Amino acid sequence: MTQTRLAKTQEALNPAALSVPCAPEDKAPDNETLTLEQQRQLRVYLEQGLPLSPRPYQEIAARLNTSEAAVISQINYWQQQSLIRRLGLVVKHRQLGYCANAMVVWDIEDQDVDRIAGQLSARGEVSLCYQRPRRLPHWSYNLFCMIHGKNKEAVLRQIEVLTRELELNHIKKDVLFSYKAFKQQGARYSQRKPGNDRA
Amino acid sequence: MNLSLLQQQLINHWQKDFPLISSPYAQLAKELGSSEAEVLEALKALEQADILSRLGAVFDHKKAGASTLAALMVPEEDLEYVADIVNKFEQVNHNYAREHDYNLWFVVTAADDFILQRVLARIEQLTGLTVLVLPMEKAFHIDLSFQIDFDSKQPLARVN
């Protein structure tokens, strides 16, 4: 696919152009303690990170004008509902020396996806494994795995061993190493304003 | 940065199951044979060094809202320019250059699909490029926390 150099329009450079309309508010989930707005705020705080001070939940409770117990109980409820997948340290792997981050993409017959994905997921070196749609003709891969390592050669060797041991040599695949992180931050689901609020 | 044993333990033990109690840092300190002040100090230093992104919650993609992986095929000389446009959206939380014709890969998460679709449309409009949209159809394995192999012989390099 050939592409011509982009026209760098004034519009694209104008931050106001980045805003898009807001969606209507979600329906209320069951909760007896915090108001919807307090729940929304709490999610923002949890996405931004707990205060690094002795009573973090108390601090958040004070900001929300509620009790520490209500905050803890709400987080506990979300954990039970699996809305929160995990609570803890979110580290930047690159900063810890895990610089070789490979996305391995496979073109697997639909009926074999579950079986092969199961085998790939069981390997310790695979941290994520997802099925995604093909977008033909440009994108024919439907299974994605992430493998993080300290250097590219080691990761390529791991992929080679894994491919051989699982007998996947006949399957078309591609390995996409990242070479620059332009952005890495926690997801901000609770952000209500879809525009760009940093400019 | 050379990580202390305390920092290594914090990283390898507390990527999940952070205590939901009044004084969670005191609890960590107790389990690691340290003091609350030392734990807080260690975490602040990790944050300062940009190793700790945050100590917080990771929400389930599907339950928390809408999200998708997306990619663009960007002429090499325009990569920084386009990455910059994509980055400006608060809904974009990861954005990487990868070695492929599709060379810019990013994740968009939003409160709902309405906002998500508009962000994608806006990125297409502003860049003049077609976005490859690859939402998750099925998750087989998500190991969000991962064991860091702290090898003292290999100094930690700062990247980007």
Side-chain angles (χ1 to χ4, degrees):
Chain A
M1 194 184 259
T2 56
Q3 273 173 336
T4 52
R5 202 174 160 82
L6 296 170
K8 297 181 182 174
T9 59
Q10 275 308 305
E11 192 197 12
L13 297 170
N14 174 9
L18 296 164
S19 67
V20 292
C22 280
E25 291 287 314
D26 288 340
K27 282 196 203 81
D30 292 338
N31 188 270
E32 60 291 359
T33 324
L34 298 187
T35 65
L36 256 193
E37 178 54 23
Q38 284 172 323
Q39 289 180 34
R40 194 190 68 76
Q41 268 303 321
L42 177 56
R43 277 175 62 167
V44 172
Y45 290 135
L46 292 175
E47 286 172 359
Q48 288 171 350
L50 298 171
L52 296 178
S53 53
R55 301 277 301 270
Y57 304 113
Q58 171 55 44
E59 254 184 65
I60 289 178
R63 287 185 221 156
L64 295 175
N65 200 20
T66 184
S67 71
E68 183 184 45
V71 165
I72 289 176
S73 127
Q74 181 69 54
I75 297 172
N76 187 35
Y77 173 77
W78 282 337
Q79 284 184 327
Q80 279 168 16
Q81 301 294 305
S82 305
L83 172 65
I84 292 179
R85 230 182 233 291
R86 71 174 167 115
L87 182 68
L89 279 77
V90 180
V91 296
K92 296 193 176 177
H93 298 131
R94 286 172 171 264
Q95 253 67 322
L96 289 167
Y98 286 74
C99 304
N101 155 345
M103 183 169 84
V104 189
V105 294
W106 313 78
D107 176 6
I108 299 176
E109 298 276 354
D110 290 340
Q111 69 270 18
D112 295 334
V113 167
D114 284 6
R115 179 177 57 82
I116 295 175
Q119 293 174 334
L120 286 166
S121 299
R123 303 284 298 212
E125 61 269 45
V126 173
S127 54
L128 301 168
C129 184
Y130 299 123
Q131 185 174 3
R132 298 187 186 278
R134 292 189 179 85
R135 302 291 188 200
L136 299 172
H138 300 305
W139 189 259
S140 59
Y141 302 105
N142 58 345
L143 193 72
F144 289 59
C145 291
M146 296 297 308
I147 298 179
H148 292 82
K150 291 187 177 178
N151 67 71
K152 211 167 158 174
E153 292 68 33
V155 171
L156 284 171
R157 268 198 308 277
Q158 281 182 315
I159 294 169
E160 201 190 304
V161 170
L162 177 150
T163 307
R164 191 178 57 236
E165 290 182 0
L166 298 182
E167 298 177 355
L168 303 175
N169 274 308
H170 61 290
I171 291 173
K172 191 175 104 179
K173 70 167 183 302
D174 210 341
V175 180
L176 287 77
F177 277 100
S178 65
Y179 60 91
K180 182 159 187 184
F182 291 109
K183 193 175 190 181
Q184 202 183 0
Q185 70 170 39
R188 304 286 161 81
Y189 296 100
S190 303
Q191 198 74 33
R192 280 286 162 192
K193 296 196 184 80
N196 149 40
D197 58 7
R198 297 186 308 147
Chain B
M1 174 182 179
N2 283 320
L3 299 191
S4 66
L5 181 61
L6 178 60
Q7 286 171 325
Q8 298 184 10
Q9 287 174 324
L10 286 167
I11 289 173
N12 271 339
H13 296 302
W14 299 106
Q15 289 181 49
K16 50 187 168 191
D17 302 326
F18 187 75
L20 259 177
I21 52 174
S22 260
S23 307
Y25 302 107
Q27 177 64 31
L28 264 51
K30 199 173 136 199
E31 295 193 31
L32 297 174
S34 182
S35 72
E36 183 183 50
E38 280 172 336
V39 165
L40 285 168
E41 203 46 54
L43 289 170
K44 281 176 193 164
L46 285 174
E47 194 173 53
Q48 198 69 36
D50 201 28
I51 289 171
L52 177 64
S53 171
R54 65 204 162 92
L55 197 163
V58 176
F59 287 88
D60 183 283
H61 283 257
K62 291 224 156 143
K63 294 183 176 133
S67 90
T68 190
L69 176 68
L72 287 170
M73 205 182 279
V74 187
E76 199 58 42
E77 67 272 23
D78 291 323
L79 193 60
E80 297 270 341
Y81 166 78
V82 172
D84 201 45
I85 292 176
V86 171
N87 274 356
K88 287 204 168 91
F89 287 86
E90 184 61 36
Q91 289 81 7
V92 171
N93 55 81
H94 285 246
N95 186 14
Y96 294 106
R98 291 191 180 274
E99 298 164 350
H100 192 270
D101 290 344
Y102 278 105
N103 51 356
L104 192 68
W105 289 78
F106 52 98
V107 175
V108 187
T109 55
D112 55 47
D113 199 53
F114 182 92
I115 297 178
L116 181 75
Q117 295 307 325
R118 263 147 196 81
V119 169
L120 294 170
R122 210 71 191 105
I123 288 173
E124 289 199 330
Q125 215 172 354
L126 294 171
T127 62
L129 300 169
T130 304
V131 180
L132 179 69
V133 183
L134 302 170
M136 191 201 303
E137 286 185 330
K138 192 165 175 183
F140 293 97
H141 179 65
I142 307 178
D143 184 10
L144 289 164
S145 58
F146 89 72
Q147 197 72 15
I148 303 294
D149 169 27
F150 289 106
D151 179 354
S152 53
K153 294 183 287 294
Q154 196 172 349
L156 297 174
R158 283 205 60 147
V159 253
N160 297 325

